[in-house]
Amino acid sequence: MGVGVVLLFMPFLGMSYGMTRQVMLSLMLALIVSGLNLNLGYAGELAMGHIAMYAAGAYTAGLISKAGVTEIWIQLLAGALVALGVGLISGIPGLRLGGWSLAMTSFFLILLVPDILSIFKESTGGRNGLTGIVPPTLFGQLMSEKQYYLLVVVVTIVWFACMRNIVVSRHGTALRVLKQSPVLASSVGISVFRMKLTAYALGSLPAGLAGVLFANLDMYISPEAFTFTVAMTVLAASVFGGSASIYGALIGAAVLQFGMNQATNFQEYGLIITGLFLLSGGVLFSGGIAGLGQNLVRKLDKLARERVGSQLVPAATAEVAPIQGARLMVESISKSFGGNQALSQVSVEAKPGAVTAIIGPNGSGKTTLLNMISGYYSTDEGSIALDTEEIHGLSSYRVARAGVSRTFQTPNIPEKLSVIEAVEAGRYATERVSILQAILRTPKFKRIRREDRLEAERVLNLVGLGEQRDSDADALPLGNRRLLEVARSLIGAPKVILLDEVASGLDEDELDVLADLVNRLRDAGLTVVIVEHNFQLVLRLADEIYVLAQGTVMAHGTPAEIERNPRVMEEYLGVINDADGSNLIGAGND
Ligand code: ADP
Ligand code: MG
């Protein structure tokens, strides 16, 4: 904010036009970089088409200006919309195809810009550029240079405020979760495709706005301004300022803009200079040199996040309210990976208000079974239902939204989130709040935001991590990471939770907290499925046990029945002893 105010008054403090022009250019660059950051830094998708969107905004403004629409607000709106259109047209196929396609599509888009302009050279002027743009007006009044400068600053401030509001909302958290892992994202109900498309489409808006502002700056645009070199400059500024950052774009853009200006022969050496920035940015951010700018940016970002988090929240209690569990019915599902039959004809039933344990030696198919239930793999045959609703065949984020949440055998914890934020990620699919509501900070957004915090504190207290709420989530020790996952799986009001070996790596105290929690969840009515190596714990917690061996259910029954089953005891004991020789069995004799 302070920086914004200073920028606003700069021309009135006797700054030369050359200088104001540089500031305006760096703000426009910052807008484009900020759009890229939404993809690269937050969604984790390398998409560089923002130069094409910038061009789209610029040519839209230029052409409608020549047609007599000089009103700058109308131009900004039109430019943003056309850029959004370009984003959607290139983003949908690019993202549908997955993998590196978006990077390729958007790369191609940049190379296409001069050709498209040439094809329509009647109106765009082709390589000679578009001349005859009329000076912009604001509410019918011709804008002075100072007014235009103010407009550029205001547009930038407004966009960065929007960007900040998005990033600190649950959508921002969702983007980081997605960057960490699409599997994790879909496990909390995030549609990977839609989220990536949203980031790409949103990122096109500031690029389009920058294009409009650029077109009205010199009243002349040509394909020169939208080349591959410029795209590299944007990428370098993003990396230099920190891609996963709100305000890094401003710093990265300023450094590159003023840096380029110092270089006399920029036309010739632009790419080399950009490359140097890219490299030095890379070094700074791999943690080699603690860059001053980087620390400043981190502080600013952190401040923005804390502001939102520090709303008054009443102290949360660690209570488990009654839960409406659902009956999970898995009927004769099979799955093979190539020639390896991981599951064959497996049927499992898990009832509400009961703990169903799945045990078996390593490689017997326990995790695969959970992955099938969560919708990560399609089944070769069989059915999976939640009460009467068939969930088999749904994509994983839909299974999550239907009420199945889970933890991962290897905890999946997003980077650069605090513990409480990582847990809140699990609320993504509960009562929805749109990005527009997040940008405008509507009362509904604020209410849900408060509820997210309150719920996160409640479940953190449930798993005994209340004190760690502000620590870095990815810095937690293994036991705590598992408990964090349990908290995340509980926060979205699930009907069924699937816990994959959550007890391994926990110390005695943590085990007690976990066992007590599982009991309380069962008593509250939740359907709890645990995959567990610790036989003692299973006997203590389970109402029903399924024993898997080589992808088939070799036995199932109550703990007492399983303990009395000589075949299970023998085989299980044998295999477990082979595997790690630990004291996992014989608990019944204690
Ligand atoms: P468990 O969790 O009981 O230790 P898993 O379900 O992880 O066992 O694995 C069961 C079998 O399926 C193993 O032979 C494993 O190698 C195989 N498997 C699991 N996931 C995959 C996969 N994505 N691709 C190929 N094989 C897999
Ligand atoms: Mg496993």
Side-chain angles (χ1 to χ4, degrees), residues 30-40 50 159 163 199-200 202-204 206-207:
L31 284 169
I32 311 170
V33 172
S34 162
L36 173 67
N37 284 353
L38 266 176
N39 297 273
L40 183 61
H50 298 86
W159 165 257
M163 171 86 175
Y200 191 61
L202 276 175
S204 67

Side-chain angles (χ1 to χ4, degrees), residues 120-424:
F120 297 104
K121 66 169 170 285
E122 301 279 283
S123 42
T124 64
R127 289 185 196 283
N128 297 329
L130 182 67
T131 49
I133 299 173
V134 186
T137 55
L138 181 65
F139 307 125
Q141 301 287 318
L142 200 65
M143 295 185 81
S144 71
E145 266 168 22
K146 275 185 186 165
Q147 282 171 338
Y148 194 70
Y149 173 82
L150 290 181
L151 175 86
V152 174
V153 175
V154 167
V155 169
T156 309
I157 290 177
V158 169
W159 165 257
F160 275 87
C162 292
M163 171 86 175
R164 180 202 59 186
N165 287 0
I166 296 168
V167 165
V168 300
S169 75
R170 56 159 74 161
H171 297 283
T173 310
L175 285 172
R176 288 161 197 252
V177 168
L178 177 60
K179 183 183 183 186
Q180 170 76 17
S181 139
V183 165
L184 173 60
S186 51
S187 83
V188 295
I190 297 167
S191 159
V192 172
F193 172 74
R194 281 197 51 181
M195 200 72 217
K196 284 190 171 176
L197 184 60
T198 304
Y200 191 61
L202 276 175
S204 67
L205 296 176
L209 294 176
V212 174
L213 294 173
F214 180 69
N216 284 289
L217 183 64
D218 298 334
M219 264 79 79
Y220 167 76
I221 44 177
S222 77
E224 296 278 281
F226 312 105
T227 56
F228 181 71
T229 309
V230 182
M232 283 297 118
T233 308
V234 173
L235 184 62
S238 165
V239 173
F240 195 83
S243 307
S245 157
I246 306 166
Y247 304 112
L250 287 164
I251 293 182
V255 168
L256 271 149
Q257 183 63 38
F258 286 92
M260 290 188 305
N261 202 36
Q262 298 309 313
T264 39
N265 286 333
F266 184 73
Q267 296 291 15
E268 277 169 65
Y269 303 119
L271 209 51
I272 296 175
I273 295 169
T274 305
L276 287 177
F277 272 113
L278 201 54
L279 275 180
S280 60
V283 171
L284 285 178
F285 290 102
S286 58
I289 312 163
L292 180 71
Q294 185 196 5
N295 284 334
L296 179 73
V297 164
R298 273 213 186 134
K299 285 205 184 100
L300 285 173
D301 286 350
K302 201 153 172 256
L303 205 68
R305 282 201 273 155
E306 278 168 5
R307 283 243 178 92
V308 177
S310 65
Q311 292 167 351
L312 264 186
V313 169
T317 54
E319 270 170 25
V320 181
I323 299 169
Q324 182 92 46
R327 191 177 69 136
L328 174 69
M329 281 290 279
V330 175
E331 277 177 293
S332 30
I333 57 166
S334 300
K335 180 71 189 172
S336 63
F337 296 104
N340 178 4
Q341 190 74 31
L343 293 176
S344 60
Q345 300 283 329
V346 169
S347 299
V348 168
E349 179 184 5
K351 298 192 194 77
V355 175
T356 306
I358 296 164
I359 63 172
N362 272 330
S364 57
K366 305 181 297 292
T367 298
T368 304
L369 176 61
L370 297 196
N371 285 342
M372 309 277 296
I373 297 170
S374 311
Y376 292 122
Y377 305 139
S378 61
T379 35
D380 299 341
E381 55 178 322
S383 92
I384 303 172
L386 216 54
D387 286 334
T388 54
E389 185 192 356
E390 179 70 38
I391 57 168
H392 165 217
L394 294 185
S395 33
S396 46
Y397 80 93
R398 289 193 184 280
V399 174
R401 289 185 186 185
V404 179
S405 74
R406 66 171 296 168
T407 68
F408 295 92
Q409 187 169 349
T410 308
N412 213 336
I413 311 285
E415 287 170 13
K416 301 209 173 84
L417 286 182
S418 67
V419 167
I420 195 159
E421 287 171 322
V423 170
E424 280 173 340

